Each structure stands twice: as C-alpha cells, then as structure tokens.
C-alpha cells in the first residue's frame, strides 16, 4: 500500500478528529503532520525531519523491536493485557477443544477452516509427504552420538533445500504449496529421526494410517511390535500441544523466518533459521528451565524460600512473565487442564505439586501482582512432556513441529505482501570517524583519537 498523501492524511477520523500526528522539531521550530494508520505512523515519514537539507533525516531507534510493527498480518491476534490469543479470529480455547492440529494448520495457512473435502485432501497431502529421502538417514547418522536433537533438526530441515531444488521457485504458488506440504509433513519425521539417533535406536518409517500426532509417537517410541498402538489420551494431548504452539504472531522465530525469507531464499533454509531462533533458551528452551528450577526447589516446603530469593533478585521464576501477556497466558490455562488428563494415564509428575504451590504463592504476592507476572505456556508444558517420556532435549523440537505451520504462513504472507522488501534495518553508528590504516608495529597519530596509538603485533 502506498503512503497516504498529505490530503489523505488530513482526512477526518471517524470520531471527527484528524487521523494525524503533529510533531514539532525543537531544533528548527518546524512542524510536521504525519498520517496515522492503524494507530501507527510510518517510520519513513520521519525521514523528512531534518535540520540541514543534506542531513539523512530522522529515524526511530527501537532495539529488540519493543514498539515497532514490522508487517501487517491477518494470521494471529494477541491481546496481552486481556490474555487473548486467536488464530484467524478463532479463540485458542475453542480450537484446543474442538479442532485438531492439521485442521488448525490449514486454518493458519489458508485463512479459513477447511470444508470436509478440503480437510481430507489436505490431510492426504500432508501424510503422503511424511517420508524423507533415504540419504537423510545417512545424514543424521553422521551426527555425534550425543548431538542435541534440535541441532540435528535445524541442520536436516535446512538440508531439505538440497533435495528439493524446485523450492527456489518461491514466486510460483503451486511450488509454494508443495513445499508447505513437505515441510508440515516431514518435520515430525526429521524430529523423530533426530531422537532415535540420540538414543541409538533404528529409525521408524512413517505409518500413514495413523493420525499426524499418532504417527509421530509411532516414529519415536515403536520398538519391536509390528504395529505401534497409540494411546488416544497422549495422542490427543500432543495434538493439543501442537495447536497451542502453532503460531504466536511476530515472535523471535517468526521474525527470523520473515527476515531470512525476505531475501527470497527457499523455505527450507528460512525454516532452518526460524528453528535456530527457537533453539535459544529465551524462546523455545524455557520449559526445560522450568523443570531444572522445580528440581532445584525439591519440595513444596522450599517454595516460600525460593520465591523470597527471586524477589531479592537472585534468579527468575522460570515459566512466569511474558513480553506480550500481562495476564494469565491463555495457553497455560489449557495446558494446566490437559496435564490432569495426561497424568491419569502416565501417573502424576511429582513436580506438579511444587509447580502448583509456586503458582499459588506467586499469584498472591505483591511482587508478581505489581509486575503482572503470570504463568506462561512453558510453566506446565515441560511437566506434561516429561510425563509422556520425552527427554528434556526434545522439548524445543516438539515446539518446532507445532510452530512449522505458523512459520510457513508468516513466510507466505510476507511473500504476497506488496509492501515488503528485503528486511534490512538501519543502525545508529557510534563508532570511529574515518582514520588512516596503521601498519603492524608502527606508531602513528590516529585521525580521530586524541592519543597516539600503536597497532598490536600479537
Ligand atoms: N521472575 C521474576 N521476575 C521477573 C520475571 C520472572 N520470571 N520476569 C520478569 N520479571 C521482573 C523483571 O525482573 C522486571 O522487574 P523490575 O521492573 O523490578 O526490573 C519486571 O518483572 C519486568 O520484566 P522484563 O524483564 O522487563 O520483562 P520482559 O518482557 O523483557 O521479559 C520474559 C519477558 C523474557 C519472558 C521474562 O518474563 C522472563 O525471563 N521470564 C522467565 C523465562 C520464561 O519463562 N520465558 C518463556 C516465555 S514464553 C515463550 O517464549 C514461549
């Protein structure tokens, strides 16, 4: 969409007031009227603000994108103050209760819930793309015996670009569709191969008679039996966990997907970048930290002392707090309920009692109330994963499987957005001005330093 013209800018807001922002530059006394659209001003409209004609012009400075919208999106809505999460308008609570992951993935990618025939076609497409090239097995075999499964996933999903060179045709809608089937279909297989390698077990091929989560459990846990029998409660729990992780608007990994995708690279390479972003402990790794924290606390009776230490700044309450949610994370509420169903099958995770006590005490405490710190999605998810026999290293991998549909939806939305270009932020340069090169070992007055410098020889 083109920038509104000044006359458009002067258009009246529905309330009768003008939808513009007037800025006065006190350096020059000049005023500028900038259009407001969707409660934002365009950063490029600030460029006209200059002291001298040959100045570069005003920019915004926003490390970590604290208050900058990088795109317009129709995929996911979050209201962090009210604790609302919706995919394409549908509340997460309804999807978690009534939908399944593949249907939710269809919704996220296509924008609408599928009809019965659309769903059947979609499921068939995804499930017929679960197999990977045999060479991928050799590739996974090459990893060290104790390689982290997330490191293996990042590498193997990136390697898919070498198997599907047609994926470079990112402007071709049919090609994009095919890569999306492949990515959503193959992620569980790559994840399962990484797990089986790490425990030294033979790889299990997909069984397409099973559901998407059922097949994943089969590829992970099948031993010598002819047909793996999926526990329906665990199958449903995993499906719900995938739904809860399917998208979360412009989070760190979605931003990586868009940023790398904006170079017009193939989607496998962009997904590898997104998965790498997810690998970090501040993003997909927090639920593992919750488990370590609960182990450290050890028992319910130690909770008050632990909370006291957190309040004294001696650590964080992992699984609490969120950049966007300043209320109970709606996903955490669903997971808490799901935990009861899972524990009925697996037996209760003894750490649950410590977690419940932590939540009870924290939610009554002035420190957490004042800072609006509530449980986030990671507070209870690790407890469920552990009860389901997933090793801690697999937690971010499980997150990546669910999030793949969100990544590809964000990627396609980016590619179809006429306003988007290669992502390339500006910087505020605070380094040296021009200075002359100094030969090694020679001493010379620096152009921009007040002292004489000698270039080190070691
Ligand atoms: N425990 C104790 N105090 C906390 C916590 C916490 N978990 N989180 C924030 N605070 C405090 C901060 O110390 C700060 O206090 P101050 O105002 O006295 O300095 C205040 O609350 C505001 O915190 P910020 O760090 O400004 O919040 P920010 O939005 O930058 O951080 C984050 C959000 C990273 C999630 C943070 O709350 C945190 O580290 N939580 C623990 C890790 C975690 O659970 N991460 C998972 C997030 S969900 C996800 O990514 C899938």
């Amino acid at each position: 969409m083109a920038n509104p013209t000044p006359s458009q800018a002067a258009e009246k807001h529905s309330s009768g007031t003008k939808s513009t922002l007037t800025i006065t530059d006190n350096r020059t006394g000049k005023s500028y009227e900038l259009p407001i659209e969707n409660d934002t001003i365009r950063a490029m409209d600030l460029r006209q603000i200059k002291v001298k004609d040959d100045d570069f012009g005003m920019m915004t400075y926003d490390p970590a994108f604290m208050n900058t919208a990088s795109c317009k999106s129709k995929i996911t809505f979050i209201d962090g103050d009210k604790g609302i999460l919706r995919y394409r308008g549908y509340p997460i609570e309804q999807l978690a209760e009534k939908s399944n992951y593949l249907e939710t993935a269809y919704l996220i990618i296509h924008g609408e819930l599928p009809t019965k025939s659309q769903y059947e076609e979609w499921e068939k497409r995804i499930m017929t793309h679960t197999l990977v090239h045999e060479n991928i097995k050799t590739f996974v075999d090459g990893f060290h015996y104790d390689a982290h499964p997330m490191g293996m996933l990042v590498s193997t999903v990136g390697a898919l670009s070498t198997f599907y060179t047609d994926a470079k045709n990112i402007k071709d809608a049919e090609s994009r569709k095919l890569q999306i089937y492949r990515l959503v279909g193959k992620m569980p297989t790559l994840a399962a191969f990484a797990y089986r390698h790490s425990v030294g077990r033979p790889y299990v091929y997909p069984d397409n008679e099973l559901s998407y989560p059922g097949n994943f459990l089969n590829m992970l846990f099948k031993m010598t039996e002819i047909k793996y029998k999926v526990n329906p409660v665990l199958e449903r729990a995993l499906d719900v966990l995938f739904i809860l992780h399917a998208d979360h608007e412009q989070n760190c990994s979605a931003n990586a997907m868009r940023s790398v995708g904006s170079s017009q690279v193939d989607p496998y390479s962009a997904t590898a970048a997104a998965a790498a972003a997810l690998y970090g402990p501040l993003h997909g790794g927090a639920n593992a930290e919750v488990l370590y924290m609960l182990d450290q606390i050890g028992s319910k009776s130690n909770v008050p002392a632990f909370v006291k230490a957190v309040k004294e700044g001696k650590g964080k309450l992992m699984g609490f707090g969120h950049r966007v949610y300043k209320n109970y994370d709606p996903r955490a509420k669903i997971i808490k309920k799901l935990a009861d169903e899972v524990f009925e099958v697996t037996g209760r995770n003894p750490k649950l009692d410590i977690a419940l006590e932590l939540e009870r005490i924290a939610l009554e405490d002035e420190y957490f109330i004042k800072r609006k710190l509530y449980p986030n999605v990671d507070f209870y998810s690790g407890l469920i994963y552990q009860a389901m026999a997933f090793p801690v290293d697999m937690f971010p991998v499980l997150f990546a499987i669910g999030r793949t549909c969100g990544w590809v939806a964000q990627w396609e939305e980016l590619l179809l957005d006429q306003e988007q270009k290669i992502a390339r932020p500006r910087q505020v340069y605070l380094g040296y001005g021009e200075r002359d090169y100094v030969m090694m070992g020679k001493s010379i007055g620096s152009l921009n330093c007040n002292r004489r410098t000698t270039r080190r020889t070691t």
Side-chain angles (χ1 to χ4, degrees):
M1 192 187 299
N3 258 358
T5 61
S7 61
Q8 284 171 317
E11 271 173 17
K12 293 268 169 75
H13 190 257
S14 52
S15 63
T17 53
K18 274 207 240 171
S19 282
T20 60
L21 177 75
T22 301
I23 297 177
T24 304
D25 184 348
N26 293 323
R27 300 169 303 175
T28 58
K30 279 195 204 161
S31 280
Y32 302 83
E33 190 177 1
L34 311 184
I36 298 174
E37 189 194 353
N38 303 315
D39 285 336
T40 59
I41 57 160
R42 283 174 183 263
M44 279 302 286
D45 283 348
L46 298 173
R47 194 68 78 69
Q48 59 184 308
I49 303 178
K50 298 177 177 187
V51 175
K52 292 188 266 95
D53 281 349
D54 60 351
D55 280 353
F56 183 75
M58 183 78 79
M59 295 190 296
T60 55
Y61 174 59
D62 189 10
F65 299 116
M66 295 286 286
N67 197 36
T68 295
S70 63
C71 62
K72 291 175 181 167
S73 182
K74 294 183 175 167
I75 303 172
T76 292
F77 173 79
I78 301 175
D79 183 330
D81 289 330
K82 297 195 181 121
I84 292 174
L85 170 61
R86 296 182 201 131
Y87 300 151
R88 303 282 188 183
Y90 293 99
I92 190 68
E93 295 79 6
Q94 291 183 23
L95 292 168
E97 193 192 329
K98 297 177 182 154
S99 183
N100 65 28
Y101 176 69
L102 278 190
E103 187 189 42
T104 299
Y106 183 100
L107 168 73
I108 286 177
I109 293 166
H110 297 88
E112 296 296 338
L113 285 167
T115 60
K116 190 167 179 291
S117 62
Q118 283 169 333
Y119 177 78
E120 283 165 3
E121 175 66 10
W122 167 248
E123 186 184 37
K124 194 174 106 202
R125 293 282 180 180
I126 300 293
M127 297 311 286
T128 49
H129 282 95
T130 49
L131 265 179
V132 291
H133 193 286
E134 281 295 287
N135 286 1
I136 290 280
K137 283 191 344 196
T138 325
F139 194 76
V140 179
D141 280 340
F143 285 105
H144 202 244
Y145 72 93
D146 61 354
H148 194 290
M150 194 62 178
M152 291 191 256
L153 184 73
V154 168
S155 313
T156 46
V157 75
L160 289 184
S161 74
T162 65
F163 291 87
Y164 305 114
T165 48
D166 57 319
K168 286 187 171 53
N169 303 328
I170 56 149
K171 294 191 176 150
D172 175 346
E174 281 308 306
S175 170
R176 285 200 304 272
K177 214 190 263 181
L178 179 57
Q179 314 318 323
I180 288 173
Y181 295 145
R182 285 173 173 157
L183 269 163
V184 178
K186 291 178 202 308
M187 279 301 255
T189 314
L190 298 178
F193 280 17
Y195 169 73
R196 299 289 288 203
H197 176 77
S198 66
V199 290
R201 290 191 191 141
Y203 307 119
V204 177
Y205 286 105
D207 178 346
N208 293 346
E209 282 180 10
L210 298 173
S211 69
Y212 187 83
N215 171 51
F216 179 53
L217 290 170
N218 157 66
M219 292 189 290
L220 286 170
F221 299 128
K222 184 172 186 286
M223 299 299 276
T224 52
E225 65 272 41
I226 303 293
K227 180 97 180 163
Y228 180 75
K229 207 161 170 298
V230 184
N231 181 303
V233 176
L234 304 188
E235 180 183 23
R236 176 65 191 154
L238 192 58
D239 213 28
V240 173
L241 286 160
F242 286 158
I243 292 174
L244 299 182
H245 288 90
D247 193 53
H248 213 231
E249 51 121 302
Q250 303 311 310
N251 56 86
C252 182
S253 57
N255 183 56
M257 184 85 193
R258 281 180 173 261
S259 185
V260 174
S262 76
S263 73
Q264 302 193 347
V265 75
D266 67 88
Y268 303 104
S269 302
T271 302
L278 188 69
Y279 195 177
L282 292 188
H283 191 9
N287 49 14
E289 298 296 328
V290 173
L291 289 190
Y292 300 139
M293 175 186 74
L294 296 176
D295 278 338
Q296 188 197 336
I297 297 172
S299 75
K300 258 172 84 170
S301 59
N302 293 333
V303 169
F306 182 82
V307 171
K308 184 167 172 280
V310 168
K311 285 160 52 179
E312 288 166 359
K314 293 180 186 153
K316 274 190 172 173
L317 186 45
M318 298 311 289
F320 260 67
H322 198 278
R323 172 61 61 77
V324 180
Y325 293 116
K326 300 302 168 197
N327 201 324
Y328 213 106
D329 181 336
R331 300 167 300 174
K333 271 190 202 153
I334 298 166
I335 292 185
K336 198 173 165 190
K337 207 167 136 251
L338 197 64
D340 292 333
E341 292 161 29
V342 170
F343 295 157
E344 269 191 29
V345 176
T346 62
R348 197 175 162 85
N349 188 325
K351 296 189 191 84
L352 179 68
D353 291 331
I354 307 174
L356 289 170
E357 182 70 352
L358 255 181
E359 181 187 326
R360 189 185 68 75
I361 292 185
L363 292 184
E364 286 173 358
D365 193 294
E366 186 54 26
Y367 175 96
F368 296 92
I369 295 170
K370 202 173 124 206
R371 289 169 180 78
K372 298 187 177 169
L373 300 171
Y374 293 86
N376 60 47
V377 68
D378 291 318
F379 194 64
Y380 290 106
S381 64
L383 291 173
I384 300 191
Y385 290 147
Q386 195 173 52
M388 289 172 77
F390 289 113
V392 174
D393 281 355
M394 279 297 283
F395 293 2
V397 173
L398 298 167
F399 195 153
I401 296 173
R403 186 53 61 85
T404 299
C405 69
W407 288 334
V408 294
Q410 298 281 349
W411 167 72
E412 201 169 38
E413 191 175 61
L414 164 99
L415 294 180
L416 298 177
D417 183 342
Q418 299 296 317
E419 271 195 309
Q420 291 289 345
K421 290 167 180 272
I422 187 165
R424 205 304 185 181
R426 293 282 176 176
Q427 64 168 9
V428 177
Y429 178 71
L430 298 177
Y432 287 110
E434 184 182 349
R435 51 185 181 153
D436 287 331
Y437 176 75
V438 182
M439 291 295 287
M440 224 176 274
K442 288 269 193 290
S443 178
I444 192 163
S446 163
L447 275 179
N448 302 93
C449 289
N450 291 330
R451 61 192 171 88
R452 291 176 71 79
T453 55
T454 302
R455 186 171 161 191
R456 291 163 62 93
T457 49
T458 53

